[in-house]
Amino acid sequence: MRITMIDDGMPYDGAAPDARPLGGAEKGFARLAAALAARGHEVSAINHCYAQAVIDQVAWLPWEAPRPPETDVLLAFRKPALLGEVAEAKHRCLWLWDAANTLSGEAERDSLARHRPTLVFTGPAHARGLKTEALKSTVIVPGVADIYRTIAANDEPAPVAIVTTHPLHGL
């Protein structure tokens, strides 16, 4: 399946989660792209990355790059306006990260009505925040990097403090 993921937020690519501070939403986007590619899908990730690259089998494309000519599934990240960025997508999904009330503006409602995407939530509680039966929905729980899952039950890990927050939040 040809999957195009699109995010118009800050610059990052598939190497960023392991190389520098990055917000949880951006980590989730990068990790999902890699996981889908690892399952055999052809994945393109379009955002404000600095250069075109292939990382973990994902084609990372700068915002100005031409859109993939064929897309089976478009996964727009956080913003309904991104649903129209790939004209020929056969199916559209909107992966919500924030509260569902971010869809309450007129432009957002218009985009949802025009494109009829499947809404993707980060968990069941997140999904319950949107009271609508008009659109299909599903849940994709953000993944955890393998490094956090490799400690055996009887291993005593070294004391470490981990903070995963968006670097622009001032922490």
Side-chain angles (χ1 to χ4, degrees):
M1 184 177 302
R2 294 168 301 225
I3 301 171
T4 301
M5 298 175 62
I6 190 162
D7 177 17
D8 71 348
M10 63 184 285
Y12 63 96
D13 62 22
D18 295 327
R20 64 182 176 91
L22 195 64
E26 293 79 13
K27 286 179 199 170
F29 183 94
R31 298 282 191 223
L32 179 60
L36 291 169
R39 291 187 63 118
H41 299 290
E42 181 182 318
V43 181
S44 299
I46 302 168
N47 72 353
H48 291 285
C49 61
Y50 297 115
Q52 186 169 331
V54 175
I55 301 166
D56 294 329
Q57 303 172 2
V58 176
W60 286 86
L61 305 172
W63 190 258
E64 301 78 22
R67 303 306 188 235
E70 295 184 29
T71 295
D72 296 312
V73 176
L74 170 67
L75 181 63
F77 196 48
R78 298 186 277 204
K79 298 178 183 174
L82 298 175
L83 292 165
E85 282 291 326
V86 178
E88 300 301 320
K90 294 176 184 163
H91 185 76
R92 296 167 197 279
C93 298
L94 176 62
W95 192 10
L96 298 168
W97 198 270
D98 301 314
N101 66 2
T102 58
L103 303 177
S104 60
E106 185 176 341
E108 290 80 8
R109 288 192 314 268
D110 288 348
S111 185
L112 294 175
R114 182 171 47 258
H115 297 293
R116 308 290 301 160
T118 298
L119 300 179
V120 179
F121 297 96
T122 58
H126 189 213
R128 287 191 297 273
L130 182 66
K131 307 292 188 234
T132 182
E133 301 298 321
L135 296 171
K136 291 185 281 184
S137 67
T138 191
V139 171
I140 297 178
V141 178
V144 176
D146 286 339
I147 193 169
Y148 300 111
R149 301 183 309 174
T150 56
I151 297 174
N154 57 355
D155 287 350
E156 188 163 329
V160 175
I162 299 174
V163 176
T164 58
T165 186
H166 196 289
L168 299 179
H169 289 171
L171 181 61

